[in-house]
Amino acid sequence: MTEEPHYYELVFEVARHIPAGRVTTYGAIANYLCLGSARMVGWALHQCAAGPSDVPAHRVVNRLGELSGRHHFRPPGAMQERLEAEGVTVADDRVADFRERFWSPEELDNE
DNA sequence: ACGCTGACTGGGT
DNA sequence: CACCCAGCCAGCG
């Protein structure tokens, strides 16, 4: 079994640590895991959406706080719906007070 | 093997 | 914040 965990698993693990009501960015996760490309994070979460998972992918937005991945949820709008259910205000496909809502995976090291 | 695409980002204008 | 450009890397035809 020399099956090493794909970087997808690492992304999922980090996403699972995002506190409810908070959001982070693809770049923040990519930087934390030293993936070198924020696109990898997007692809990883795409795989997550392809199957059943307990990964709160809706808490991951782009650097501007935009719900760039909303179109990949079913039904479309589920991303915004879930965020609002957690107390996150979303307007015009963007997270209100994004800067305050932002959570960095580096917070884990602060523990 | 090759090239394009994509849930991205940072820098410059 | 908006637009354009270049760098980035895995997946797919």
Side-chain angles (χ1 to χ4, degrees):
Chain A
M1 328 288 287
T2 54
E3 299 298 322
E4 299 176 26
H6 287 113
Y7 66 94
Y8 295 154
E9 294 300 326
L10 297 176
V11 174
F12 296 160
E13 192 57 41
V14 173
R16 276 186 258 250
H17 284 289
I18 305 173
R22 302 292 294 279
V23 298
T24 192
T25 68
Y26 303 95
I29 297 176
N31 181 57
Y32 181 73
L33 299 178
C34 297
L35 295 181
S37 291
R39 291 183 184 274
M40 301 297 87
V41 178
W43 274 111
L45 292 178
H46 177 85
Q47 301 306 318
C48 148
S53 64
D54 55 338
V55 180
H58 59 279
R59 295 179 191 152
V60 184
V61 298
N62 72 2
R63 68 180 175 101
L64 299 179
E66 298 173 329
L67 284 54
S68 52
R70 88 197 119 100
H71 202 66
H72 296 260
F73 282 77
R74 253 88 64 198
M79 187 175 189
Q80 178 173 331
E81 195 173 308
R82 286 188 175 191
L83 284 172
E84 294 184 323
E86 296 179 353
V88 178
T89 304
V90 178
D92 193 28
D93 299 323
R94 274 178 285 182
V95 176
D97 300 319
F98 165 63
R99 188 164 174 175
E100 292 184 49
R101 295 284 186 178
F102 178 73
W103 173 88
S104 174
E106 292 179 18
E107 296 291 319
L108 295 175
D109 297 334
N110 227 315
E111 208 35 47

